[in-house]
């Protein structure tokens, strides 16, 4: 029967009616959902007073009928036939990870607005327990989610199970009369506490939350700001500037000339919405959002036809963007369809002040919708709809935040990705030019401030990282990098331009994308929950827009540095821009070579000639990866001191492929090699941070040193409340990478775990084999067959060349395993623990592929294990056979110390000593450095009569509250000593020098994990 939950339960009223000794028992057909598709649904309701109940096909959400209640004077309707879902029966995407509470969900339609309150009361026996009221001062549909703990009366605690057995809806005003419809009533299901949203009907929801804490939540405060914004007379040039900006925005939405209009397709797509207008009533399936969060069970009605808001937006966008291509007759038809769709949109409750139960993450679902309405703004104005649609979107996109006090302003990647660009569009969805001016001034100020923020409020940090989910997250930041350049360019050279400070800070983060990627590929270390799949290819147009917007603060000309970067990335694909930039501006493509550090990501990147090495760690403040419900389920190790080597061929050309990838074998990582069933964590969401503060890098003259303390013993979850968590096995290690010239010197010490069943290993490489004949070369034998394995003898002269030409020299005598084989794996978006999978797997939960791998085996439950090896990336093929001989002549470096106190390596060619000091030390004996008061990363170059020093204190020193941090580095003062008598050559306030005997003590203040430069002279 329609409207029934699959697992029917019998609920017994808890109280025996006094004096009667009887028990009221709910019907065996008691409802989880009231869909009102049959007379039996109607029979479950009783009424009193001037009430009339019926099933109606005039207004409905799902199915074809709704409950129609007409009343005059004091009236009530009530039911006792319903079910209450437990936590386990409710469709909670994240299970127990986020708190959830019982919530009453329903849709209501009002034909005529009136100032009449409608009261909802839940009872137990004869006792009223909780209640709330809404005003019927609206028209159209409204969907509401009301948590029971937010109601009045004897409200339960948040998350507490409930056991009510009666629901009454009442109108108490004797002079009132009206007609309303109810549909799709879910009497109680658990809903994520974050997701039930307030609106103008239920403003009491989330009353205990700080306004603006949830950036997705539309706020009544903010829509009131828009409706009462102070208007001033237009400035003389304002109309021209408004037109200029509006024209630029229109150019971003225009279709390329190659796209032709196909009216049959446009009409067919619109017909799929199943909309029609009957006697002034717009009829169609429900226009939904977060449909999966409702507990419909196997109810066929509520899983039937509906129009998702994102799909609806795409249809409306298509109509709008093809409008200018159409002839007169086609335009008339497109406008008719668009206006009908707009009326449907508004009638379905997408109006100013309505939250539809929830609008969490709504920005990802309404971008096409906003664009469609913007493109068709003239048609909306002609049909008297522009202000109503504009008000709806200004509410939905929370535009009023730009009118708040500046102390409220804080950057957010989601906003910059999904809302900021569309906010600029929405400003033109009003016919009041003075209001456009006022909103545009506020918008420019807001964007200027949030783009300039590089402190705890900011998402673009001082090192160029882009933060989301409490960490550097390029996959999310890319959306901002695609959209913000359009804003900067649209407003450029007008009185509404983004401030030089905002432009410059965004530009720094934007340009950093080409530094922490190689070619287009960002690599697995900073991929978040998207392993092997994040790149910057989509930024091509954005680089051009930033070029044409000019440099920060300029009013004319192009940004030459961005132009040079564009040519490096896309110049070969765009010879016209290459010629224009060269001929008119003298710009040639840039050649990147150097060492780049990103402390807020615990990342270092070495770029040399045609190769790059991306080195990744994590710490107390920087998470390792994002493991999500059905994303990156086996992503425990991509930041365990990994070293991803890229050649000019990108992911594919460098050997990185998803299918068949062994999630234990991230190159450079030290791991416990686990079966995938154990590698996958039990937690639904985890972004693991260790308890160690040591992770970072230091650069000098294009070379650099990376170091980290790897610890899986005790840390926190950046995406949840968990503290003092860790992984089984308690893996620990001290790891470093010294990038000197054309080589990477890799050292690991103090490697330990307590796992006595699975081996602890350090991976040299894992690369895909598009051809099984590709060889692994080694000092003992070549692996040319397939499959094939080999174990190198424990020799300090051992070497390996992987199939892509990267050489590895084993300095320490350790077991090294070489392997070529066909690997079986799981798709990263499939959970072997739960059986759940993302739709993106397309049913391919298991993957396979041919790979070559090599690793150092440290044994079971090692204590104090270590390794030393050197990588020579991208060896020319003519050097492969000479590699062993060349290593015997290698004299350019020396490993001076490798233990728990410090890793120290000397670059003889550059007279530079690199230091990774893990413990405060008073007895350092290698190179100029003799003592430190704190763990440090340092490079000291000995030049004639001077010491050139770069020093980093890798502790970002965030202020913390439990497992939450302010995400802003605080200064740390440290002192180190060098042998000899020196004085400082610069006048920096961050450097103090004191001589005692034959030693010089230098005190510096470090912050952001960035290097402090010190120059000492005799």
């Amino acid at each position: 029967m329609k409207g029934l939950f699959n697992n029917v339960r019998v609920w017994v009223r808890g109280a025996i009616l006094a004096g009667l000794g009887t028990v009221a028992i709910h019907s065996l057909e008691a409802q989880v959902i009231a869909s009102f598709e049959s007379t039996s649904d109607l029979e479950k309701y009783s009424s009193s007073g001037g009430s009339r109940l019926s099933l109606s096909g005039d207004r409905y959400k799902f199915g074809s009928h709704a409950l129609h209640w007409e009343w005059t004077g004091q009236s009530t309707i009530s039911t006792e036939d319903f079910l209450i879902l437990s936590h386990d029966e409710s469709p909670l995407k994240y299970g127990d990870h986020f708190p959830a509470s019982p919530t009453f969900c329903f849709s209501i339609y009002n034909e005529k607005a009136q100032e009449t309150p409608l009261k909802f009361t839940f009872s137990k026996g004869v006792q009223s327990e909780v209640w709330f009221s809404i005003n019927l001062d609206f028209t159209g549909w409204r969907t509401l989610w009301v948590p029971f703990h937010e109601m009045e009366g004897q409200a339960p605690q948040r998350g507490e199970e409930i056991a009510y057995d009666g629901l009454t809806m009442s109108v108490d005003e004797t002079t009132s009369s009206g007609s309303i419809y109810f549909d799709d009533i879910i009497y109680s299901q658990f809903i994520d506490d974050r997701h039930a949203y307030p609106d103008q009907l239920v403003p009491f929801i989330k009353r205990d939350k700080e306004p603006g804490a949830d950036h997705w939540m539309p706020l009544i405060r903010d829509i009131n700001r828009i409706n009462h914004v102070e208007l001033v007379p237009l400035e003389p040039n304002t109309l021209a500037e408004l037109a200029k900006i509006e024209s630029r925005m229109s150019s971003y939405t225009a279709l390329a000339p190659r796209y032709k209009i196909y009216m049959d397709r446009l009409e067919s797509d619109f017909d799929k919405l199943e909309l029609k207008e009957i006697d002034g009533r717009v009829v169609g399936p429900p226009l939904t959002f977060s449909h999966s969060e409702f507990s419909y069970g196997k109810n066929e009605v509520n899983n039937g036809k509906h129009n998702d808001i994102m799909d609806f937006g795409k249809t409306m966008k298509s109509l709008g963007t093809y409008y200018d291509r159409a002839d007169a007759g086609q335009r008339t038809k497109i406008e008719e369809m668009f206006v009908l769709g707009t009326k449907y949109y508004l009638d379905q409750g997408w109006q100013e002040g309505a939250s539809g139960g929830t609008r969490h993450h709504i920005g990802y679902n309404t971008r096409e919708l906003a664009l469609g309405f913007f493109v068709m703004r003239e048609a909306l104005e002609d049909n008297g709809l522009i202000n109503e649609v504009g008000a709806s979107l200004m509410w939905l996109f929370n535009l009023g935040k730009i009118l708040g006090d500046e102390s409220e302003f804080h950057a957010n990647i989601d906003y910059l990705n999904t809302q900021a660009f569309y906010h600029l569009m929405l400003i033109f969805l009003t016919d009041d030019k003075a209001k456009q001016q006022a909103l545009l001034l506020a918008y420019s100020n807001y964007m200027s401030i949030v783009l300039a923020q590089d402190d705890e409020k900011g998402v673009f940090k001082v090192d160029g990282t882009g933060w989301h989910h409490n960490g550097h997250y390029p996959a999310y930041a890319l959306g901002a990098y695609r959209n913000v350049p359009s804003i900067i360019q649209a407003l450029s050279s007008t009185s509404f331009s983004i401030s030089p400070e905002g432009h410059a800070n965004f530009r720094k983060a934007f340009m950093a994308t080409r530094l922490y990627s190689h070619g287009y590929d960002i690599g697995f270390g900073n991929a978040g929950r998207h392993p092997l799949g994040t790149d910057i290819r989509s930024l091509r147009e954005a680089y051009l827009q930033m070029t044409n917007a000019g440099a920060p603060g300029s009013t004319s000309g192009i940004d030459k540095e961005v132009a040079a970067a564009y040519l490096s990335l896309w110049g070969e694909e765009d010879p016209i821009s290459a010629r224009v930039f060269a001929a008119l501006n003298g710009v040639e493509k840039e050649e990147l070579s150097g060492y780049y550090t990103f402390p807020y990501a615990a990342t270092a990147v070495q770029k040399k000639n045609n190769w790059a090495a991306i080195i990744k760690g994590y710490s107390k403040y920087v998470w390792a990866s994002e493991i999500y419900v059905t994303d990156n389920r086996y992503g425990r190790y991509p930041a365990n001191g990994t070293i991803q080597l890229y050649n000019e061929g990108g992911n594919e050309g460098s050997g990185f492929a998803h299918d068949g990838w062994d999630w234990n074998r991230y190159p450079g990582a030290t791991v416990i090699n686990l079966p995938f069933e154990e590698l996958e964590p039990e937690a639904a969401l985890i972004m693991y941070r260790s308890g160690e503060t040591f992770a970072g890098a230091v650069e000098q003259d294009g070379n650099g040193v990376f170091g980290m303390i790897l610890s899986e013993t005790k840390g926190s979850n950046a995406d949840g409340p968990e503290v003092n968590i860790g992984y089984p096995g308690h893996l620990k290690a001290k790891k470093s990478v010294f990038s000197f010239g054309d080589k990477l010197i890799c050292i690991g010490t103090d490697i330990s775990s307590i796992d006595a069943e699975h081996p602890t290993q350090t991976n040299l490489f894992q690369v895909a084999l598009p051809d099984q004949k590709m060889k692994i070369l080694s000092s003992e034998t070549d692996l040319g067959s397939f499959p094939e394995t080999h174990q190198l003898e424990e020799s300090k002269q051992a070497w390996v060349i992987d199939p892509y030409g990267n050489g590895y020299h084993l300095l320490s005598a350790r077991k090294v395993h070489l392997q070529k084989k066909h690997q079986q794996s799981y798709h990263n978006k499939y959970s072997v623990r739960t059986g759940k999978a993302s739709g993106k797997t397309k049913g391919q939960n298991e993957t396979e592929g041919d790979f070559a791998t090599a690793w150092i085996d440290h044994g079971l439950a090692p204590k104090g294990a270590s390794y030393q090896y050197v990588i020579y990336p991208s060896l020319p093929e003519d050097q492969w056979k000479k590699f062993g001989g060349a290593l015997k002549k290698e004299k350019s470096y020396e490993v001076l110390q490798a233990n728990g106190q410090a890793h120290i390596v000397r670059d003889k060619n550059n007279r530079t000593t690199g230091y990774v000091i893990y413990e405060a030390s008073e007895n350092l004996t290698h190179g100029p450095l003799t003592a430190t008061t704190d763990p440090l990363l340092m490079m000291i170059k000995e030049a004639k009569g001077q010491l050139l020093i770069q020093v980093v204190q890798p502790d970002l020193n965030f202020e913390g509250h439990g497992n939450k941090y302010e995400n802003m580095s605080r200064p740390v003062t440290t002192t180190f000593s060098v042998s000899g008598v020196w004085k400082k050559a610069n006048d920096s306030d961050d450097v103090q020098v004191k001589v005692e005997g034959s030693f010089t003590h230098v005190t510096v203040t470090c912050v952001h994990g960035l290097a402090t430069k010190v120059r000492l002279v005799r």
Side-chain angles (χ1 to χ4, degrees), residues 135-174:
N135 254 348
L136 296 175
D137 56 351
F138 66 94
T139 60
W141 282 106
R142 294 292 188 274
T143 298
L144 301 176
W145 296 3
V146 186
F148 285 93
H149 68 83
E150 303 264 25
M151 298 181 188
E152 297 182 70
Q154 304 300 312
Q157 295 295 311
R158 190 186 303 269
E160 182 182 351
E161 297 271 2
I162 60 170
Y164 308 126
D165 53 21
L167 166 63
T168 299
M169 291 168 272
S170 59
V171 175
D172 292 334
E173 292 190 6
T174 58

Side-chain angles (χ1 to χ4, degrees), residues 409-411 448-455 457-460 505:
F409 296 176
H410 62 88
S448 294
I449 289 173
V450 299
L451 291 178
Q453 290 171 337
D454 62 5
D455 55 10
K457 292 183 178 181
V459 295
F460 304 124
N505 192 52

Side-chain angles (χ1 to χ4, degrees), residues 169-201:
M169 291 168 272
S170 59
V171 175
D172 292 334
E173 292 190 6
T174 58
T175 59
S176 70
S177 64
S179 170
I180 57 178
Y181 301 78
F182 292 100
D183 207 357
D184 306 318
I185 300 176
I186 300 176
Y187 297 96
S188 178
Q189 71 167 73
F190 276 77
I191 281 182
D192 191 318
D193 284 345
R194 300 171 301 164
H195 292 166
Y197 275 13
D199 65 17
Q200 289 182 332
L201 294 185

Side-chain angles (χ1 to χ4, degrees), residues 645-845:
L645 299 178
Y646 273 116
N647 57 34
E648 291 179 309
N651 272 334
E652 183 178 355
S654 303
F656 302 109
H658 175 273
D659 290 355
W661 184 264
D662 184 341
W663 303 108
N664 288 290
R665 289 267 177 256
Y666 282 102
T670 298
V671 305
I672 300 173
N673 193 291
L674 298 168
F676 293 141
E677 292 78 4
E678 296 181 43
L679 180 62
E680 181 187 6
E682 294 181 10
L685 291 83
I686 186 167
M687 304 171 79
Y688 182 70
R689 296 179 299 206
S690 73
E692 300 291 344
T693 61
F694 197 105
V698 60
E699 181 274 342
Q700 187 178 62
D701 295 339
N703 295 318
V705 177
F706 170 90
M708 72 172 294
I709 297 178
L710 170 65
S711 176
E712 294 187 347
T713 59
K714 185 171 69 173
S716 66
N717 184 3
D719 198 22
E722 298 90 348
V723 295
N724 295 328
I725 62 170
Y727 286 111
H730 291 189
L731 177 65
K732 296 180 180 179
K734 293 179 177 178
K735 294 170 67 73
S736 64
V737 181
F738 295 78
S739 299
F740 290 152
D742 60 352
K743 65 187 72 66
L744 307 171
I745 302 158
C746 308
I747 299 174
T749 61
D750 297 64
I751 301 170
S752 68
S753 83
I754 61 172
D755 191 326
E757 297 182 7
H758 307 103
T760 297
Q761 301 170 344
T762 296
N763 301 317
L764 299 182
F765 59 81
Q766 175 177 211
V767 290
L769 295 176
D771 182 351
Q772 294 179 350
K773 296 179 181 179
M774 296 175 72
K775 293 182 179 181
I776 299 176
L777 308 181
S778 79
S779 51
E780 296 179 5
T781 186
D782 295 345
L783 278 67
S785 300
F786 189 92
E788 188 173 1
T789 62
H790 182 73
Q791 179 177 313
L792 294 179
E793 295 295 329
E794 297 186 22
S795 167
K796 291 185 178 182
Q797 299 304 317
W799 57 264
V800 181
I801 299 178
D802 70 30
Y804 290 81
N806 301 301
Y808 304 80
H809 182 199
L810 284 305
L811 302 182
S812 53
R814 298 289 182 267
K815 293 180 181 178
V816 178
H817 297 262
L818 310 179
Q819 181 172 270
K820 290 174 61 183
K821 78 170 204 176
H822 188 74
Q823 295 183 173
Q824 306 285 337
S825 187
Y826 288 118
H827 198 290
N828 85 88
K829 297 180 183 298
Y830 167 72
S831 168
V832 69
R833 286 183 177 269
T834 67
K836 294 180 179 179
S838 164
K840 295 180 180 179
T841 68
K842 298 180 180 179
Q844 185 188 3
N845 297 333

